[in-house]
Amino acid sequence: QVQLVESGGGMVQPGGSLRLSCVASGRAFGSYPMGWFRQAPGKEREFVAAISATATTAYADSVKGRFTIYREYVKNTLYLQMNSLKPEDTAVYYCAAARRGLIVKFKEDYDFWGQGTQVTVSS
């Protein structure tokens, strides 16, 4: 069973940037489709970005052009580069991995989850 450990959250001003990291255990990291989700208070956990085992990517419309998902295979690490941050980006961000699939956008299809990291965008 893969274990995911997230880091990089914090507080940033509107227009600022953060990079989230998710370190995965196990030698099969590169074979997993992975993704980022976020959940704000009182809201459902929503899709942010996904990446395939071969680094094909997909984004939610709300973050397209501002966020970039990528992975470094030798480090077993998934990243989310977040630029031009807005207050509405404030949420707990979760990384996730699936055992199968290409681009996985539904939270129900993910098998492993990190603990989450808080991102707060405020003046």
Side-chain angles (χ1 to χ4, degrees):
Q1 184 171 335
V2 65
Q3 183 176 3
L4 306 175
V5 180
E6 302 170 341
S7 63
M11 181 176 290
V12 66
Q13 293 183 333
S17 298
L18 284 173
R19 188 182 72 171
L20 306 183
S21 300
C22 175
V23 179
S25 65
R27 62 188 295 271
F29 166 77
S31 68
Y32 291 127
M34 299 190 71
W36 288 96
F37 289 76
R38 67 187 183 186
Q39 187 167 21
K43 294 187 176 182
E44 297 288 331
R45 189 171 300 187
E46 67 174 352
F47 168 77
V48 175
I51 188 167
S52 74
T54 55
T56 302
T57 60
Y59 299 91
D61 289 341
S62 59
V63 307
K64 195 170 297 182
R66 299 188 297 120
F67 291 8
T68 302
I69 185 173
Y70 63 101
R71 61 201 303 169
E72 294 189 1
Y73 294 94
V74 296
K75 292 183 177 181
N76 290 341
T77 302
L78 176 73
Y79 299 94
L80 183 68
Q81 178 66 48
M82 309 164 67
N83 298 326
S84 301
L85 283 162
K86 304 174 180 180
E88 50 262 45
D89 295 318
T90 296
V92 177
Y93 283 71
Y94 300 89
C95 66
R99 287 190 178 276
R100 63 187 183 94
L102 185 58
I103 296 291
V104 181
K105 296 183 178 180
F106 299 103
K107 59 183 182 292
E108 294 81 6
D109 293 330
Y110 280 93
D111 301 292
F112 310 105
W113 293 86
Q115 295 288 88
T117 184
Q118 177 71 48
V119 172
T120 302
V121 185
S122 176
S123 299

